[in-house]
Coordinates of all heavy atoms in Angstrom, one line a residue:
K1 N 0.8 -1.2 0.0 CA 0.0 0.1 0.0 C 0.9 1.3 0.1 O 0.7 2.1 0.9 CB -1.0 0.0 1.2 CG -1.9 -1.2 1.3 CD -2.8 -1.2 0.0 CE -3.8 -2.4 0.2 NZ -3.3 -3.8 0.3
A2 N 1.9 1.3 -0.9 CA 2.7 2.5 -1.2 C 3.7 2.8 -0.1 O 4.4 3.8 -0.1 CB 1.8 3.7 -1.3
K3 N 3.9 1.7 0.8 CA 5.0 1.9 1.8 C 6.3 1.6 1.3 O 7.4 1.9 1.8 CB 4.6 1.1 3.0 CG 3.3 1.6 3.8 CD 3.0 0.8 4.9 CE 1.7 1.2 5.6 NZ 1.3 0.4 6.7
G4 N 6.4 0.6 0.3 CA 7.7 0.1 -0.3 C 8.0 -1.4 0.2 O 7.9 -1.6 1.4
C5 N 8.2 -2.2 -0.8 CA 8.4 -3.6 -0.5 C 9.2 -4.2 -1.6 O 9.6 -3.5 -2.6 CB 7.1 -4.4 -0.2 SG 6.1 -4.5 -1.8
R6 N 9.5 -5.5 -1.6 CA 10.2 -6.2 -2.7 C 9.5 -6.2 -4.0 O 10.1 -5.9 -5.1 CB 10.4 -7.7 -2.2 CG 11.2 -8.4 -3.3 CD 11.2 -9.9 -2.9 NE 9.9 -10.5 -2.7 CZ 9.1 -10.9 -3.8 NH1 9.6 -11.0 -5.0 NH2 8.0 -11.5 -3.5
I7 N 8.1 -6.3 -4.0 CA 7.4 -6.3 -5.2 C 7.5 -5.1 -6.1 O 7.7 -5.1 -7.2 CB 5.9 -6.7 -4.9 CG1 5.9 -8.2 -4.3 CG2 5.1 -6.6 -6.2 CD1 4.5 -8.6 -3.9
C8 N 7.3 -4.0 -5.2 CA 7.4 -2.7 -6.0 C 8.8 -2.1 -5.9 O 9.0 -0.9 -6.3 CB 6.3 -1.6 -5.3 SG 6.8 -1.3 -3.5
K9 N 9.7 -2.9 -5.5 CA 11.1 -2.4 -5.5 C 11.2 -1.2 -4.7 O 12.0 -0.1 -5.1 CB 11.7 -2.1 -6.9 CG 11.7 -3.4 -7.7 CD 12.2 -3.0 -9.2 CE 12.1 -4.3 -10.1 NZ 12.5 -4.0 -11.4
Q10 N 10.7 -1.1 -3.6 CA 10.7 0.0 -2.6 C 10.1 1.3 -3.1 O 10.3 2.3 -2.4 CB 12.1 0.2 -2.1 CG 12.8 -1.1 -1.6 CD 12.0 -1.8 -0.4 OE1 11.4 -1.1 0.5 NE2 12.0 -3.1 -0.4
E11 N 9.4 1.2 -4.2 CA 8.8 2.4 -4.8 C 7.4 2.8 -4.2 O 7.0 3.9 -4.3 CB 8.8 2.3 -6.2 CG 10.1 2.4 -7.0 CD 10.9 3.6 -6.9 OE1 10.2 4.7 -6.8 OE2 12.1 3.7 -6.9
G12 N 6.7 1.7 -3.8 CA 5.3 1.9 -3.4 C 4.4 1.9 -4.5 O 3.1 1.8 -4.3
W13 N 4.9 2.0 -5.8 CA 4.0 2.1 -7.0 C 4.6 1.1 -8.0 O 5.8 0.9 -8.1 CB 3.9 3.5 -7.6 CG 3.2 4.4 -6.7 CD1 3.9 5.1 -5.6 CD2 1.9 4.9 -6.7 NE1 3.0 5.9 -5.0 CE2 1.7 5.8 -5.7 CE3 0.7 4.5 -7.4 CZ2 0.5 6.4 -5.4 CZ3 -0.4 5.1 -7.1 CH2 -0.6 5.9 -6.2
I14 N 3.7 0.6 -8.9 CA 4.2 -0.3 -9.9 C 3.7 0.1 -11.3 O 2.5 0.4 -11.5 CB 3.4 -1.8 -9.7 CG1 3.9 -2.3 -8.3 CG2 3.9 -2.7 -10.8 CD1 3.2 -3.6 -7.9
E15 N 4.7 0.4 -12.1 CA 4.4 0.8 -13.5 C 3.7 -0.4 -14.3 O 4.0 -1.5 -14.3 CB 5.7 1.2 -14.2 CG 5.4 1.7 -15.6 CD 6.7 1.9 -16.4 OE1 7.7 2.3 -15.7 OE2 6.9 1.7 -17.5
L16 N 2.5 0.1 -15.0 CA 1.6 -1.0 -15.5 C 1.3 -0.7 -17.0 O 1.4 -1.7 -17.7 CB 0.3 -1.0 -14.8 CG -0.5 -2.3 -15.0 CD1 0.2 -3.5 -14.4 CD2 -1.9 -2.0 -14.3
L17 N 1.2 0.4 -17.5 CA 0.7 0.6 -18.8 C 1.0 2.0 -19.4 O 1.2 3.0 -18.5 CB -0.7 0.2 -19.0 CG -1.8 0.8 -18.2 CD1 -2.3 2.3 -18.8 CD2 -3.1 -0.1 -18.2
G18 N 1.0 2.2 -20.7 CA 0.9 3.5 -21.2 C -0.4 3.9 -21.7 O -1.3 3.0 -22.2
C19 N -0.7 5.2 -21.8 CA -1.9 5.9 -22.1 C -1.8 7.2 -22.6 O -0.7 7.8 -22.6 CB -2.9 5.6 -21.0 SG -2.3 6.6 -19.5
G20 N -3.0 7.7 -23.1 CA -3.0 9.1 -23.4 C -4.2 9.5 -24.2 O -5.0 8.6 -24.6
M21 N -4.3 10.8 -24.6 CA -5.4 11.2 -25.5 C -5.0 11.0 -26.9 O -3.8 11.2 -27.3 CB -5.6 12.7 -25.2 CG -6.0 13.0 -23.8 SD -7.6 12.3 -23.3 CE -8.8 13.0 -24.3
V22 N -5.9 10.5 -27.7 CA -5.6 10.2 -29.2 C -5.3 11.4 -29.8 O -5.8 12.5 -29.7 CB -6.9 9.6 -29.8 CG1 -6.7 9.3 -31.3 CG2 -7.4 8.3 -29.1
D23 N -4.0 11.3 -30.6 CA -3.5 12.5 -31.3 C -4.6 12.8 -32.4 O -5.1 11.9 -33.2 CB -2.2 12.1 -32.0 CG -1.5 13.3 -32.5 OD1 -2.1 13.9 -33.3 OD2 -0.3 13.6 -32.0
P24 N -4.9 14.1 -32.6 CA -5.9 14.6 -33.6 C -5.4 14.1 -35.0 O -6.4 13.9 -35.9 CB -5.7 16.1 -33.5 CG -5.5 16.4 -32.1 CD -4.5 15.3 -31.7
Y25 N -4.1 13.8 -35.3 CA -3.8 13.4 -36.5 C -4.4 12.0 -36.8 O -4.8 11.8 -38.0 CB -2.2 13.1 -36.5 CG -1.7 12.4 -37.8 CD1 -1.5 13.0 -38.9 CD2 -1.3 11.0 -37.7 CE1 -0.9 12.3 -40.1 CE2 -0.8 10.2 -38.7 CZ -0.7 10.9 -39.9 OH -0.3 10.2 -41.0
L26 N -4.5 11.1 -35.8 CA -5.2 9.9 -36.1 C -6.7 10.0 -36.5 O -7.2 9.3 -37.3 CB -5.0 9.0 -34.9 CG -3.8 8.1 -34.8 CD1 -2.5 9.0 -34.6 CD2 -3.8 7.2 -33.7
L27 N -7.3 11.0 -35.8 CA -8.7 11.2 -36.1 C -8.9 11.7 -37.4 O -9.8 11.2 -38.1 CB -9.3 12.1 -35.0 CG -9.2 11.7 -33.5 CD1 -9.8 12.8 -32.5 CD2 -9.9 10.3 -33.2
E28 N -8.1 12.7 -37.8 CA -8.2 13.2 -39.2 C -8.0 12.1 -40.3 O -8.7 12.1 -41.3 CB -7.2 14.3 -39.4 CG -7.6 15.6 -38.6 CD -6.5 16.7 -38.9 OE1 -5.5 16.5 -39.4 OE2 -6.7 17.9 -38.4
R29 N -7.0 11.2 -40.0 CA -6.7 10.2 -41.1 C -7.9 9.3 -41.2 O -8.0 8.8 -42.4 CB -5.4 9.4 -40.5 CG -4.9 8.4 -41.6 CD -3.7 7.7 -41.0 NE -3.2 6.6 -42.0 CZ -2.3 6.9 -42.9 NH1 -1.7 8.1 -42.9 NH2 -2.0 5.9 -43.7
V30 N -8.7 8.9 -40.3 CA -9.7 8.1 -40.4 C -11.0 8.7 -40.8 O -12.0 8.2 -40.9 CB -10.0 7.1 -39.2 CG1 -8.7 6.3 -38.9 CG2 -10.3 8.0 -38.0
G31 N -10.9 10.1 -40.9 CA -12.1 10.9 -41.3 C -13.0 11.3 -40.2 O -14.2 11.8 -40.5
Y32 N -12.4 11.4 -39.0 CA -13.3 11.9 -37.9 C -12.9 13.4 -37.8 O -11.9 13.9 -38.1 CB -12.9 11.3 -36.5 CG -13.3 9.8 -36.4 CD1 -14.0 9.1 -37.4 CD2 -13.2 9.2 -35.2 CE1 -14.4 7.9 -37.2 CE2 -13.5 7.8 -35.0 CZ -14.2 7.2 -36.0 OH -14.6 5.9 -35.9
D33 N -13.9 14.2 -37.3 CA -13.7 15.6 -37.0 C -13.0 15.9 -35.7 O -13.7 15.7 -34.7 CB -15.1 16.3 -37.1 CG -15.0 17.8 -36.9 OD1 -13.8 18.4 -36.8 OD2 -15.9 18.5 -37.0
P34 N -11.7 16.3 -35.7 CA -11.1 16.4 -34.4 C -11.6 17.6 -33.6 O -11.3 17.8 -32.4 CB -9.6 16.6 -34.9 CG -9.7 17.1 -36.2 CD -10.8 16.6 -36.8

């Protein structure tokens, strides 16, 4: 619970995935109005 241990390498947090808002370029390419 964010205190630091072996599993999280004493960080308290575990990196899991990448994400973000869709770049308007992708929307324009498929014909969506950005």
Side-chain angles (χ1 to χ4, degrees):
K1 302 300 189 293
K3 295 178 181 179
C5 67
R6 177 187 60 83
I7 294 178
C8 63
K9 300 179 182 178
Q10 308 303 322
E11 294 291 333
W13 297 83
I14 300 173
E15 180 183 327
L16 197 63
L17 56 81
C19 59
M21 301 299 293
V22 177
D23 193 302
Y25 168 82
L26 274 66
L27 300 179
E28 291 179 350
R29 185 181 179 93
V30 298
Y32 289 4
D33 182 1

